[in-house]
């Protein structure tokens, strides 16, 4: 149909099936961001470190990953490289 615009799940403020993986070693950051996104209707998955994020990403195939850079163990850059290498 000409002129018909499909809703964008990342900008539509209604409920969406988009899954967002949030990776942060600070519990308060995870809680604040998760609460906001869940209120907007997103399905949110939380990971406390890079290793957990890689496991979740491979099985869940999230639509978006919010990744902290400074974390113990695998930092955000290392995590991102491994995610890209695994094509997740």
């Amino acid at each position: 149909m000409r002129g018909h615009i499909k809703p964008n799940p990342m900008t539509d403020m209604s409920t969406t099936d988009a899954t967002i993986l949030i990776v942060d070693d600070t519990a308060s950051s995870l809680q604040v961001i998760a609460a906001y996104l869940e209120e907007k209707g997103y399905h949110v998955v939380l990971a406390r470190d890079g290793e957990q994020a890689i496991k979740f990403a491979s099985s869940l195939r999230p639509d978006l990953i919010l990744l902290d850079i400074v974390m113990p163990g695998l930092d955000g850059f290392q995590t991102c490289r491994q995610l890209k290498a695994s094509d997740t």
Side-chain angles (χ1 to χ4, degrees), residues 7-14 42:
N8 181 342
M10 299 310 282
T11 58
D12 184 12
M13 296 312 232
S14 62
Y42 294 97

Side-chain angles (χ1 to χ4, degrees), residues 32-50:
V32 169
I33 297 167
Y36 177 79
L37 292 171
E38 287 172 342
E39 181 180 295
K40 299 299 180 188
Y42 294 97
H43 176 250
V44 175
V45 177
L46 306 177
R48 296 292 305 258
D49 58 40

Side-chain angles (χ1 to χ4, degrees), residues 8-85:
N8 181 342
M10 299 310 282
T11 58
D12 184 12
M13 296 312 232
S14 62
T15 303
T16 176
D17 355 342
T19 299
I20 300 175
L21 173 59
I22 306 170
V23 188
D24 199 316
D25 62 317
T26 306
S28 60
S29 295
L30 286 172
Q31 291 170 353
V32 169
I33 297 167
Y36 177 79
L37 292 171
E38 287 172 342
E39 181 180 295
K40 299 299 180 188
Y42 294 97
H43 176 250
V44 175
V45 177
L46 306 177
R48 296 292 305 258
D49 58 40
E51 291 87 359
Q52 192 176 41
I54 292 166
K55 288 178 189 173
F56 288 164
S58 66
S59 62
L60 297 172
R61 309 279 302 172
D63 298 289
L64 177 69
I65 300 173
L66 301 177
L67 179 59
D68 185 18
I69 296 299
V70 180
M71 295 185 294
L74 284 181
D75 67 21
F77 292 114
Q78 294 166 320
T79 302
C80 187
R81 280 195 278 289
Q82 287 194 23
L83 287 168
K84 289 182 75 166

